[in-house]
Amino acid sequence: MAADNLALQIAEGKLRKHGCCGLDAQNSQKACKMGCSMKRIAILGSTGSIGRQCLSVVDSLRGSFEVVALAAGSNVPLAAEQARRFRPKVVSVATEKAAEELCAALKPVGRSELLPEILFGAEGLERVATHADADTVLSAAVGVVGLRATYQAIERGKNVALANKEVLVAAGEVVMAAVARNGVSLLPVDSEHNAIHQCLRAGAPREVKRLVLTASGGPFRKTPVSQLFKVTPKQALAHPNWKMGQRITIDSATLMNKGFEVIEARWLFGMELEKIHVVIHPQSTIHSMVEFVDGSILAQLGPTDMRMPIQYALTYPDRIASNHCTLNWGTLRRLDFEAVPRQKSRCLHLAKEALRGGGPLPCALNAADEIAVAAFLERRLPFLGIPMVIERVLERMPRTALRSIDDVLEADAEARRLARMEVGAAGMGKTGRR
């Protein structure tokens, strides 16, 4: 079937049927026979940093996983490469135009049944998340775009490996109620929460005194507060330890990332805010710690390589040998710890206040931060204007109850509207724009 005909089918909303596993006949039979022992996964955000590293883990553990569905963004060449290598049954991309381009890129040499079903947009994202053959969904789509799809996966009884912070920051109460209602597992991929999950395997919840999240301190750990007003996006994106997306890197510089992690930890582990602590650990070797009531502390150590927590989340409750990342003890000279500086932790403080306030405030926190960070990266807002915008949005946010995902998305939209107004006001010079 020609690629242009496939694109026409997509535009008309028609869904193409395909063979058993999207493989040739011999491999298809082999995969189906192995299906009972293989974990079948769907990935939301396959072309992003976490998605790419997840597929690297899958590639290194051939025979342990089958990739049944992929949701990419707008990077069509990479999506096509992933589709050819892992042969998913379904691939979704951001837009109809991207879907047409993907059809053309995957134009088969031989039989048309080797093509995956190609979808696009929010509906395509949800179709990937709820694919009937998927046992586990890796939620790594950036932003609230992945919220509804992840929620639908949980409602369909899928286990979720969670790398999307917005899911629990914006909708923690709603999502965790769905997790309990459907009896599924929600495994954290974020290195700090993944570390806590591993440490908690050694003790009962009643034995835990506190959780300790470690923070690198970001690129401005030693920068005087008086110099932060003139920080540039280039400087803020120069993280000393991790290679991440732009927003999360800026969030690390403002410590908002730790604020989000405090909110996530509250929902993931059912721990009161007062029992969740943050400490600066510049080496990022200890990813987090759990202190027990008897004074014992368990810490999880590892290299700054996200493939390790990804693999743990995908293979849990088992541990599978891996040869792609190990801690180099020869380079481990010291482990330093520092208190979080109050003058540089305004965003962390705002996150804790939003969690205490509850309702729509954590959702508004996330939405306002996304708008403010984007404005900073576009040089429409100074670095110190980020927490100012967030604080003003939290003050103006209507206090409404969140009972459903639709409620969450309405609160998100309102917070974004307020944040854009605040950024516009700040852009007129009210924050000392340079």
Side-chain angles (χ1 to χ4, degrees):
M1 186 178 294
D4 54 348
N5 290 334
L6 282 174
L8 180 61
Q9 284 192 328
I10 292 172
E12 293 175 347
K14 298 176 182 178
L15 303 179
R16 192 178 60 78
K17 302 298 182 183
H18 49 74
C20 174
C21 296
L23 305 169
D24 58 62
Q26 181 179 356
N27 286 334
S28 176
Q29 292 175 4
K30 180 179 179 182
C32 289
K33 289 178 181 179
M34 295 175 62
C36 292
S37 61
M38 298 175 71
K39 281 192 176 181
R40 296 170 298 179
I41 64 174
I43 301 175
L44 308 181
S46 66
T47 54
S49 175
I50 296 296
R52 295 195 305 270
Q53 291 178 85
C54 177
L55 288 173
S56 174
V57 169
V58 169
D59 207 26
S60 70
L61 298 174
R62 286 282 182 168
S64 297
F65 302 100
E66 177 190 355
V67 178
V68 298
L70 295 174
S74 300
N75 189 339
V76 173
L78 181 54
E81 180 183 330
Q82 292 175 345
R84 284 190 290 265
R85 182 166 183 77
F86 295 96
R87 301 289 181 86
K89 300 176 182 181
V90 175
V91 179
S92 179
V93 287
T95 64
E96 182 177 341
K97 183 176 184 295
E100 293 172 355
E101 293 173 357
L102 184 60
C103 282
L106 293 177
K107 182 177 180 180
V109 176
R111 298 172 303 168
S112 62
E113 63 264 26
L114 294 179
L115 281 172
E117 184 178 5
I118 298 174
L119 306 173
F120 66 90
E123 181 182 353
L125 193 67
E126 290 186 34
R127 286 282 303 277
V128 169
T130 59
H131 195 284
D133 291 345
D135 306 310
T136 299
V137 176
L138 174 74
S139 175
V142 177
V144 293
V145 67
L147 175 55
R148 189 185 294 277
T150 304
Y151 182 81
Q152 290 299 324
I154 293 169
E155 289 284 34
R156 295 290 184 89
K158 312 294 185 185
N159 293 321
V160 173
L162 185 64
N164 181 324
K165 291 182 181 298
E166 286 82 0
V167 169
L168 289 182
V169 172
E173 188 171 4
V174 175
V175 169
M176 293 311 294
V179 168
R181 185 169 61 247
N182 292 282
V184 300
S185 296
L186 187 65
L187 277 298
V189 168
D190 188 71
S191 62
E192 288 81 0
H193 300 102
N194 191 279
I196 289 174
H197 189 277
Q198 295 187 49
C199 292
L200 287 176
R201 294 177 76 169
R206 67 179 182 276
E207 298 173 338
V208 176
K209 180 179 180 180
R210 64 174 180 167
L211 310 180
V212 182
L213 300 167
T214 58
S216 69
F220 306 128
R221 182 171 64 90
K222 295 183 178 181
T223 303
V225 175
S226 61
Q227 295 183 19
L228 292 180
F229 77 93
K230 60 182 180 181
V231 161
T232 67
K234 182 178 180 180
Q235 291 171 323
L237 289 170
H239 196 281
N241 298 340
W242 298 93
K243 292 181 179 180
M244 306 177 289
Q246 287 194 329
R247 182 192 172 189
I248 191 173
T249 303
I250 301 302
D251 285 343
S252 177
T254 64
L255 288 181
M256 179 58 87
N257 195 41
K258 289 301 127 178
F260 289 154
E261 289 174 11
V262 167
I263 296 174
E264 288 180 277
R266 183 266 176 271
W267 294 115
L268 281 168
F269 308 114
M271 197 69 59
E272 299 90 344
L273 175 59
E274 291 68 27
K275 293 186 177 181
I276 305 171
H277 292 245
V278 177
V279 64
I280 301 295
H281 171 49
Q283 290 84 11
S284 294
T285 300
I286 293 177
H287 298 300
S288 278
M289 297 175 279
V290 175
E291 182 178 354
F292 294 93
V293 292
D294 63 355
S296 299
I297 297 176
L298 293 185
Q300 190 268 340
L301 286 74
T304 53
D305 191 321
M306 284 302 298
R307 291 176 297 175
M308 183 172 286
I310 290 170
Q311 179 174 313
Y312 175 85
L314 292 180
T315 63
Y316 180 83
D318 299 320
R319 289 187 186 270
I320 298 178
S322 170
N323 59 8
H324 55 60
C325 52
T326 57
L327 182 62
N328 185 348
W329 292 96
T331 62
L332 187 60
R333 295 287 184 265
R334 55 191 290 174
L335 298 174
D336 296 316
F337 301 95
E338 305 168 7
V340 176
R342 290 184 61 84
Q343 292 180 308
K344 296 182 182 179
S345 58
R346 190 176 176 192
C347 283
L348 175 58
H349 172 74
L350 290 172
K352 291 180 179 180
E353 288 302 308
L355 180 57
R356 289 190 184 98
L361 294 186
C363 177
L365 176 90
N366 172 73
D369 176 73
E370 183 173 331
I371 297 298
V373 168
F376 167 68
L377 290 171
E378 294 166 3
R379 296 180 179 272
R380 294 185 291 114
L381 189 71
F383 184 72
L384 294 180
I386 295 174
M388 187 205 70
V389 166
I390 296 168
E391 184 171 19
R392 290 184 177 176
V393 170
L394 293 179
E395 291 171 350
R396 298 177 59 186
M397 192 68 188
R399 301 306 198 260
T400 56
L402 302 184
R403 298 185 178 89
S404 68
I405 292 299
D406 286 337
D407 291 340
V408 174
L409 295 176
E410 287 179 10
D412 175 82
E414 174 62 11
R416 289 171 188 274
R417 185 186 72 82
L418 293 173
R420 292 188 184 99
M421 291 177 60
E422 293 297 340
V423 167
M428 298 302 292
K430 294 183 180 181
T431 61
R433 182 187 180 198
R434 295 174 61 82

